[in-house]
Amino acid sequence: MAELARTARSDHRARVLKAATEAFLENGYDTTSTAEIARRAKVSKRELYTYFEDKRDILAAVITDLQADIQSQTTVSWSSTGDVRGVLIEAGTELLRFINSERFGKLFRIVAAESFHDPVSSRKFYLLGPAMGRKNTAAFLKRHMVAGNLRTADPLQAADDFLDMLVSSRYLTAVVLGQMRSFPKPQVHVEHAVDLFLTYYGANNSHEKSRS
């Protein structure tokens, strides 16, 4: 009986999150009410408030759900035993596909707009997204530095260099403004970024030779 109650509670909470995500993306955060979210989720407002304190708490949960999605996708890539170039291309392509999605673009705009009023949610967005991605990328690069597949360097700096080439400020600006048509297809962009990265960090690159 208790197990059935927990399952029902989890299902209802998931429905609220799904409804909130859809409403936020369709109508924006400000114009979406908790009553609208409850209506879409087919739960009462009273039940909605048993799962979340307020609308900002719902937004924070939506952010967590979104970032968990991308981290689960890229973690699979980072755990791959393939060659460095192949894994970087695979992970980079997954990341850009996610960033290029309508879901991410709209939520990114919402978080940016709310950042002055709700610094907690914006910090959560950063910690679960860019900060976690940086950490996972650095861990992957460090393993390959130890294995001799990349030259020895600061893994975090190397991760920053790779991610900055992959998702530049110009790229993110285009995502926010919905102007992605001016960029090449993700696969082409990723391969270019990976090859530039390996020119500098590859185990047998000219930069390392010039320093020795």
Side-chain angles (χ1 to χ4, degrees):
M1 196 71 176
E3 182 62 30
L4 285 175
R6 280 193 295 271
T7 301
R9 180 181 174 83
S10 177
D11 176 63
H12 286 192
R13 186 181 186 279
R15 275 167 38 197
V16 171
L17 273 182
K18 184 176 184 296
T21 301
E22 291 172 352
F24 289 157
L25 298 187
E26 287 176 21
N27 306 320
Y29 176 79
D30 284 338
T31 57
T32 298
S33 65
T34 52
E36 168 66 9
I37 294 171
R39 184 189 67 77
R40 289 181 180 231
K42 297 180 179 178
V43 300
S44 67
K45 282 187 67 175
R46 181 177 180 180
E47 183 178 3
L48 183 148
Y49 283 117
T50 64
Y51 307 126
F52 304 100
E53 291 182 8
D54 52 27
K55 193 168 72 167
R56 293 197 185 282
D57 192 31
I58 297 174
L59 177 60
V62 168
I63 289 169
T64 300
D65 191 52
L66 176 83
Q67 298 294 24
D69 188 16
I70 180 56
Q71 294 305 331
S72 67
Q73 291 178 45
T74 54
T75 297
V76 172
S77 298
W78 292 140
S79 63
S80 173
T81 56
D83 66 282
V84 178
R85 183 176 185 275
V87 175
L88 287 175
I89 289 174
E90 181 184 357
T93 301
E94 286 294 335
L95 178 60
L96 281 200
R97 281 178 182 160
F98 186 79
I99 289 175
N100 288 346
S101 69
E102 183 180 15
R103 179 187 176 201
F104 176 86
K106 286 185 175 181
L107 189 59
F108 186 84
R109 294 180 202 115
I110 289 171
V111 173
E114 290 297 310
S115 61
F116 294 103
H117 309 293
D118 187 8
V120 173
S121 290
S122 57
R123 179 163 177 75
K124 176 171 282 193
F125 185 91
Y126 176 78
L127 291 176
L128 295 177
M132 183 65 71
R134 178 182 187 243
K135 179 181 177 182
N136 292 339
T137 303
F140 169 80
L141 296 176
K142 182 177 181 178
R143 287 200 306 273
H144 282 276
M145 288 175 185
V146 172
N149 300 322
L150 295 172
R151 72 175 181 82
T152 302
D154 179 351
L156 285 174
Q157 180 62 61
D160 287 343
D161 290 341
F162 174 65
L163 293 171
D164 284 347
M165 284 188 283
L166 191 66
V167 190
S168 64
S169 58
R170 186 170 74 92
Y171 198 98
L172 268 185
T173 300
V175 168
V176 171
L177 299 178
Q179 301 298 315
M180 292 306 300
R181 279 182 255 175
S182 61
F183 281 85
K185 292 181 179 180
Q187 184 76 14
V188 175
H189 178 76
V190 171
E191 288 183 4
H192 179 66
V194 169
D195 287 339
L196 280 176
F197 176 81
L198 291 178
T199 297
Y200 187 85
Y201 283 101
N204 298 310
N205 65 78
S206 58
H207 172 80
E208 184 69 13
K209 291 177 181 177
S210 68
R211 294 179 60 192
S212 44

